[in-house]
Each structure stands twice: as C-alpha cells, then as structure tokens.
Amino acid sequence: MKPQKTTIAAVMILTSGLLLSQDRFDMKVRNYFFAGLAGDTASLQKGMTICEQILASDPKQPEALVWHGTGLVTESRAAFQKGDQQNGAALWQRGLDEMDQAAAMAPNDLGVRIVRGAVLLIASQYLAPEAAHPLIEKGLTDYEKAYSVQGPDLSRLGTHKSGELMIGIADAYARLGQPDQAQQWFERIQKELPGTPYASSAAVWLETKTLAPRQAGCLGCHTGSTDQSK
C-alpha cells in the first residue's frame, strides 16, 4: 500500500472550502500531516502529538481521532517501505479502525467525513481490487455526505474544491463498477468546469473508461508548507 502526498493535499483543499467554523480542528494539524506524508517525520510527530494530547483528555473527540488515524496510515507506509510488513499491516489496520470510529461517532461532521473519504479514496488506488472495494465504498459515502451538504450548486466553492469533490465521486463510482453513475458525474465535470484539468480527466474517462491515479484527484495542487497560519 503506497499512499501518496495527494492524500493530505486533497483533504486540505476540501476542508478549506467546505468547513466554515472559525475554530476548525484541521487548521491545527493538517499541514503537519501533509509534511509528514511528504517524508518529514518530525512534522508528522507534531501532528500526532497534538491529536494524542486531545484524545488523552477526550477519547471521543472525532476530529482528533480521524486525523490520528490518518497519521497511522502514513506511518504504515514508512513501515512497508522498510520491509516491515507486520508492523505496517498493524499500523494500517489501526489507522482504518480509528477513522471508522470517528465517522461512527460523528457521522454528520464534515471535518471527519472529508478526511476519511480523501484518505480512503486515494489510498485505495494502490490496493488490489478486493482490498480496495470496501474502502472505495466508504470513501464514496463520505464524499456524498459532503455533497449532500453543499450541493447541488457547487460553484461557490471555486474550481479546485468543487473539482476535487466531483472527480472523487465520479472516479469512485467508476472503480465500483457503476459506469452509468460515473458517466453522469464526468459529464457534469465537463459541463461545469470546462478548460480545467478536471474536464481533461473527465474526457479521458469518457473515452477510455479508466483513469490513472494521478488523473483522479488533487489536480493542480501546490501546497506543502508547515505554516499553520495558511
């Protein structure tokens, strides 16, 4: 399993557009996790420590739990890359379990659902189909929850945020073997976001009925700072 930097980047894009609270938890940790996924273990540990401190006083804080789960998934990648399959598998499962627990505790919290959805949809691109399928299903429900809150008019989110949400849903349907639903979303992308990388990816799928992982999300991302003020 090889999750990419696009995982946290996609989370950052979507949370910045869909969450309105002035006291957003993701602003406290997301850049630390992004840097961690890019290989900065010190930044990752800072993010994990913030989550762990909060969870020590409130074990049922769902946003801290979902981000901590994301950190465990990130740590699993490092373990797999070192050839430590046993520890990698344990970290991976713990991360999935924590994200699921967070979603169960706060099913209507977009700060939880978007994070889990982005992680599952992107990480599933690097798994065998039988392992990927249940993750895609969960990730799709998370993105559809976000859409149910924001839709049907996504124009106020801007190109990047609405594009990430729509292409995530479209690609999920495609990978679940539901081409009719996927086609509706890819055609919508072409109609609403003409001339964008999202429309280009939609055109590829409509012609070939497949997308490479790099074409299915986080298109045009330019982020990597650990400055928590951004």
Side-chain angles (χ1 to χ4, degrees):
M1 191 279 299
K2 300 179 180 180
Q4 305 294 300
K5 287 189 290 183
T6 50
T7 305
I8 302 301
V11 174
M12 292 172 70
I13 292 163
L14 287 169
T15 53
S16 65
L18 300 179
L19 303 182
L20 303 178
S21 171
Q22 295 302 305
D23 187 28
R24 283 170 36 194
F25 180 85
D26 71 292
M27 293 293 289
K28 301 175 183 178
V29 298
R30 63 183 192 177
N31 286 323
Y32 290 134
F33 282 95
F34 179 83
L37 194 51
D40 185 342
T41 56
S43 288
L44 176 62
Q45 189 53 53
K46 287 180 182 178
M48 293 291 278
T49 297
I50 291 171
C51 293
E52 288 163 2
Q53 289 172 342
I54 292 171
L55 291 169
S57 59
D58 183 5
K60 294 186 177 181
Q61 212 290 354
E63 287 185 280
L65 190 59
V66 78
W67 278 100
H68 192 265
T70 297
L72 292 174
V73 168
T74 303
E75 290 177 347
S76 77
R77 181 189 67 164
F80 284 128
Q81 289 175 338
K82 294 176 182 178
D84 187 351
Q85 300 298 315
Q86 183 175 358
N87 190 40
L91 289 167
W92 166 252
Q93 190 59 54
R94 282 180 57 203
L96 295 183
D97 289 345
E98 288 190 2
M99 289 189 289
D100 286 350
Q101 290 166 18
M105 287 189 290
N108 296 317
D109 187 337
L110 294 188
V112 171
R113 301 296 294 270
I114 292 168
V115 173
R116 186 181 71 160
V119 172
L120 296 184
L121 290 178
I122 295 173
S124 65
Q125 294 170 339
Y126 303 93
L127 299 175
E130 61 274 13
H133 195 276
L135 303 190
I136 300 169
E137 288 183 325
K138 287 181 184 178
L140 177 58
T141 65
D142 292 334
Y143 272 36
E144 286 183 325
K145 178 63 178 181
Y147 175 72
S148 72
V149 173
Q150 300 297 320
D153 181 10
L154 299 176
S155 61
R156 71 175 184 81
L157 296 178
T159 296
H160 210 169
K161 301 175 186 74
S162 61
E164 288 299 317
L165 185 60
M166 287 195 286
I167 204 163
I169 292 172
D171 185 60
Y173 274 124
R175 291 193 290 138
L176 288 174
Q178 301 181 45
D180 292 342
Q181 292 91 330
Q183 180 158 336
Q184 292 176 11
W185 279 97
F186 281 121
E187 288 177 347
R188 178 177 174 180
I189 291 168
Q190 283 198 314
K191 179 180 179 180
E192 297 185 13
L193 301 173
T196 67
Y198 302 100
S200 298
S201 286
V204 170
W205 188 89
L206 289 167
E207 180 178 353
T208 67
K209 298 299 184 288
T210 188
L211 282 181
R214 58 184 168 76
Q215 298 171 309
C218 205
L219 304 180
C221 291
H222 300 285
T223 184
S225 170
T226 56
D227 181 355
Q228 295 295 291
S229 66
K230 295 182 179 180

